[in-house]
Amino acid sequence: MNDLDMDLFLGPEDDNGRSRRQKGNGRRGRRRRRRRNRGGFLAPLLALIVLLGIVGGGGYYGYLWVSDRLVPGDFSGPGSGSVALEIRQGQSATDVAEELERLGVIKDSRAFINAVTNSGKSASLVPGHYTLRKQMRAADAVTELDSNNRQYTEVTLKEGLRLSDTFTQLAEKTKVPAKDFTAAAKKAGDLGLPDYAKGRLEGYAFPATYQFPPKSSAATILTKMVDRFKETADRTGLEAGAKDLGRTPHEIMIIASIIQAEAGRQEDMGKISRVVYNRLAHKPEMHLKMDSTVMYALGKYKTAATFAETKTPSKYNTYLHLGLPPGPIANPGDHAIEAALNPTPGTWLYFVATDPNSQVTKFATTDAEFQVLLNEYKKNGG
């Protein structure tokens, strides 16, 4: 190979071959720079990976922290055991939720609020006593707080029951001894009776259907019945109506109890009320002569008193004593109270249940008309 060929292969050489050496050194420099550049890139990359790991780990735990606060805890099982809960009148869903959490029924009150909101029952939590389990799912607790699951004893007391019979029926249904009701009735001041009742519970233990919570005491039960009477008294305007009639509220309740005991049908109550008022206002004075008051005095249950029974000396004997008896002879209902306050206009002084089987009652103004009704009563087996 000649010199020209070598020049073509190696390139021209200046200054005793320095060009070839410089080119050789350049190649090695570039390789070193590439190695340095690769090292300079890896360090920030590793730092970024570490940083992302730290941020990612912090984000995960941050997510758990936020999730724990935004998503309330909840038990996973149906729960166990038994827990009593009372929802009181006026309590909100939040109040109930906090109480459930306190009792250990649910894990977090917020879970209950969410569940009750989703179910659409937030405004329909019915006051009453309920039995639930501990550590229940919040949604299950909402389902259990249905009004159909309330714990109570239901008692229906019909209109016209005497107080003694009321106590007997209450004892049978609630399992509270009758003597407890008798004892509670003697402490009338603790039952919330109005002053005009004069300490007498007879006539003021309002007949209705009640739902008494578990383990209610006799005093609690009777107080609820008196409260129900006071609601009726307010609704019917008892005090104002009595004043308009020239009577006391207590006298109106006596008249209402007589109407309740004597009436076979609701539609006759207004007329029977008028008979009572007409006899009380009659000149010369006229005895009420109500068989129901005699039966109350004797502790009997009949529709008609015998001649001998009308001679009992009791102040409840309206054949013997003028005016009204000392107190109500039964516990009247709404209709009887309204009839006592609103007697039907008329001149009647007598009434007779002419057909005991159908309970049809007829009215008369004169004694002669009354005798005709009596004969009809006897003809029908009276």
Side-chain angles (χ1 to χ4, degrees):
M1 183 181 292
N2 56 32
D3 291 340
L4 178 61
D5 294 330
M6 290 297 296
D7 288 340
L8 291 172
F9 181 75
L10 295 174
E13 183 179 7
D14 298 321
D15 300 328
N16 302 321
R18 282 181 295 179
S19 176
R20 288 192 294 271
R21 288 195 299 271
Q22 286 174 350
K23 288 182 179 180
N25 291 338
R27 294 190 195 100
R28 288 193 296 271
R30 284 194 295 273
R31 284 197 293 270
R32 285 194 297 269
R33 284 195 298 273
R34 282 197 295 270
R35 285 196 296 269
R36 284 196 300 270
N37 288 342
R38 283 198 299 268
F41 172 74
L42 286 175
L45 178 61
L46 289 173
L48 178 61
I49 291 171
V50 172
L51 179 61
L52 290 175
I54 294 172
V55 172
Y60 172 72
Y61 288 107
Y63 166 77
L64 292 180
W65 184 85
V66 172
S67 176
D68 182 56
R69 279 148 182 78
L70 294 181
V71 181
D74 201 358
F75 292 120
S76 59
S80 61
S82 179
V83 179
L85 170 74
E86 179 186 3
I87 298 180
R88 294 178 294 278
Q89 192 71 39
Q91 279 192 310
S92 66
T94 300
D95 296 330
V96 174
E98 291 173 352
E99 180 68 5
L100 288 171
E101 182 178 345
R102 187 187 69 79
L103 292 171
V105 174
I106 58 173
K107 191 172 186 179
D108 192 320
S109 61
R110 293 171 301 163
F112 179 85
I113 293 296
N114 291 343
V116 80
T117 301
N118 293 335
S119 69
K121 292 184 177 181
S122 58
S124 59
L125 293 176
V126 179
H129 290 253
Y130 298 83
T131 300
L132 299 98
R133 298 175 297 280
K134 284 195 172 184
Q135 298 187 355
M136 296 179 67
R137 283 186 291 265
D140 291 344
V142 172
T143 301
E144 289 297 315
L145 292 178
D146 186 275
S147 60
N148 293 325
N149 293 331
R150 286 180 299 164
Q151 304 294 310
Y152 57 81
T153 300
E154 185 169 284
V155 183
T156 298
L157 301 166
K158 67 178 184 179
E159 295 88 347
L161 275 181
R162 295 175 187 172
L163 194 60
S164 57
D165 298 322
T166 298
F167 291 168
T168 298
Q169 292 191 18
L170 286 172
E172 289 175 354
K173 294 287 187 178
T174 66
K175 308 306 177 186
V176 177
K179 64 181 179 62
D180 289 4
F181 289 105
T182 302
K186 292 178 180 178
K187 300 178 181 179
D190 297 336
L191 305 180
L193 278 169
D195 293 338
Y196 55 76
K198 301 181 179 180
R200 300 171 183 264
L201 184 58
E202 184 80 83
Y204 301 95
F206 194 80
T209 295
Y210 293 94
Q211 294 176 345
F212 299 117
K215 299 180 181 180
S216 293
S217 67
T220 299
I221 290 171
L222 295 180
T223 298
K224 188 170 184 178
M225 297 175 71
V226 171
D227 288 343
R228 179 67 176 78
F229 160 75
K230 290 191 288 190
E231 290 175 8
T232 300
D234 289 341
R235 182 182 60 77
T236 58
L238 176 60
E239 294 190 46
K243 186 177 181 180
D244 291 342
L245 291 166
R247 296 284 172 179
T248 67
H250 187 59
E251 288 175 328
I252 295 297
M253 291 306 297
I254 296 172
I255 294 171
S257 71
I258 293 173
I259 294 169
Q260 188 74 71
E262 294 284 350
R265 304 179 305 176
Q266 179 186 329
E267 54 262 42
D268 296 326
M269 287 183 171
K271 289 184 176 182
I272 293 175
S273 176
R274 176 53 65 190
V275 170
V276 172
Y277 282 105
N278 285 347
R279 289 191 180 187
L280 290 172
H282 193 269
K283 299 297 181 183
E285 290 183 313
M286 185 178 186
H287 288 86
L288 284 179
K289 292 186 177 181
M290 296 293 169
D291 292 342
S292 57
T293 65
V294 177
M295 293 300 104
Y296 180 80
L298 297 173
K300 296 181 178 181
Y301 297 86
K302 295 194 304 180
T303 57
T306 65
F307 179 76
E309 287 169 339
T310 62
K311 300 303 178 183
T312 180
S314 171
K315 291 183 179 179
Y316 283 87
N317 182 0
T318 53
Y319 279 84
L320 188 63
H321 300 282
L322 288 166
L324 293 168
I329 61 172
N331 293 293
D334 307 68
H335 299 303
I337 296 173
E338 290 170 352
L341 289 168
N342 302 283
T344 303
T347 58
W348 311 289
L349 287 171
Y350 309 93
F351 63 89
V352 179
T354 54
D355 187 350
N357 293 323
S358 66
Q359 296 186 325
V360 170
T361 299
K362 295 184 178 181
F363 296 83
T365 299
T366 66
D367 184 68
E369 293 171 341
F370 175 54
Q371 293 303 321
V372 171
L373 297 181
L374 282 178
N375 290 332
E376 185 178 348
Y377 165 71
K378 292 174 183 177
K379 183 179 179 181
N380 289 327

